[in-house]
Amino acid sequence: MPINDPTTAGDAPLNLSPSGFPALKNDLYLRTARGEATERAPVWCMRQAGRYLPEFRAIRVEHDFFRVCRTPALATEVTVQPLRRYAGLLDAAIIFSDILVVPQAMGLQVEMVPGKGPHLPEPLRAPADLARLADRRPGFSVDVELDYVYKALTNTRHALQGQVPL
C-alpha cells in the first residue's frame, strides 16, 4: 500500500485528529529501541538524508528550510519521500523538523544561510539577554508557538498508514 501523498490530495484538509491512527505494521525499530532481540537491524533515513532526493530538492526550490518545517503538509511530504522512494526497505520515519524551531518559538531570530548553516543574528550572550525571550512573557504558550510541529506529527502518522513508526 503506498504512503499517502499530502501534496496531491487536492483540496482535502489535513487529517489532524490525534486519534484513530492506523495500526502499526512494522515495529522492528521500536522493538530494537526497547532492547528486544530482532531478526535484523532496523533501517531508516535521517531528515538530512533526504537532501539528495530530487523530489526534496524540488520542494526546496519553492520553499526555504524553515517554511518546510513550519508547514505541516510540507513537513509531512518530505518526511514520507524516502519511504515512498524506498518502499518496503525502511523501518522508521523521522519527522522533518529541526531543533532550531525551539529558539524561534522563544523569539530568537534564526536564519538558515545557504552553504553555511544556521545563524543567530542576535544570540544570547549574557544573562540579561534572557529577558528578550518570548517564553518569559505572560501568555506565552509553547503549544501555540509550536502547533505546526504537533500538526506535522499527527498528519504524518496518518499519512504513513501504519507502515512504519514515526
Side-chain angles (χ1 to χ4, degrees):
M1 175 181 292
I3 293 172
N4 285 344
D5 182 350
T7 63
T8 59
D11 294 327
L14 296 176
N15 185 350
L16 300 178
S17 169
S19 62
F21 292 121
L24 190 57
K25 300 170 189 166
N26 175 348
D27 68 347
L28 178 65
Y29 179 88
L30 297 176
R31 287 185 287 127
T32 302
R34 288 190 296 259
E36 297 176 17
T38 58
E39 58 276 19
R40 62 177 174 79
V43 177
W44 69 94
C45 289
M46 296 299 291
R47 172 190 59 79
Q48 297 86 345
R51 290 184 288 199
Y52 70 91
L53 295 177
E55 52 268 40
F56 174 80
R57 289 197 310 265
I59 287 176
R60 289 286 283 114
V61 165
E62 299 289 325
H63 307 282
D64 71 42
F65 176 82
F66 286 118
R67 171 73 57 206
V68 177
C69 290
R70 288 190 294 261
T71 306
L74 292 173
T76 294
E77 170 57 22
V78 298
T79 297
V80 301
Q81 284 175 345
L83 290 122
R84 193 180 303 122
R85 179 173 278 262
Y86 303 110
L89 299 177
L90 300 175
D91 300 302
I94 307 299
I95 194 69
F96 188 90
S97 191
D98 195 89
I99 191 67
L100 292 174
V101 301
V102 174
Q104 284 180 330
M106 295 169 67
L108 290 177
Q109 183 179 356
V110 181
E111 302 169 346
M112 194 60 70
V113 179
K116 181 181 175 192
H119 173 68
L120 284 76
E122 297 181 45
L124 303 175
R125 297 189 190 275
D129 292 339
L130 293 173
R132 295 192 339 238
L133 298 178
D135 71 324
R136 314 242 330 170
R137 297 185 193 125
F140 176 85
S141 169
V142 71
D143 290 337
V144 170
E145 296 300 322
L146 294 176
D147 184 60
Y148 61 89
V149 176
Y150 306 134
K151 288 178 178 175
L153 289 165
T154 300
N155 191 53
T156 303
R157 282 204 51 203
H158 286 292
L160 290 171
Q161 299 176 325
Q163 289 189 0
V164 296
L166 176 63

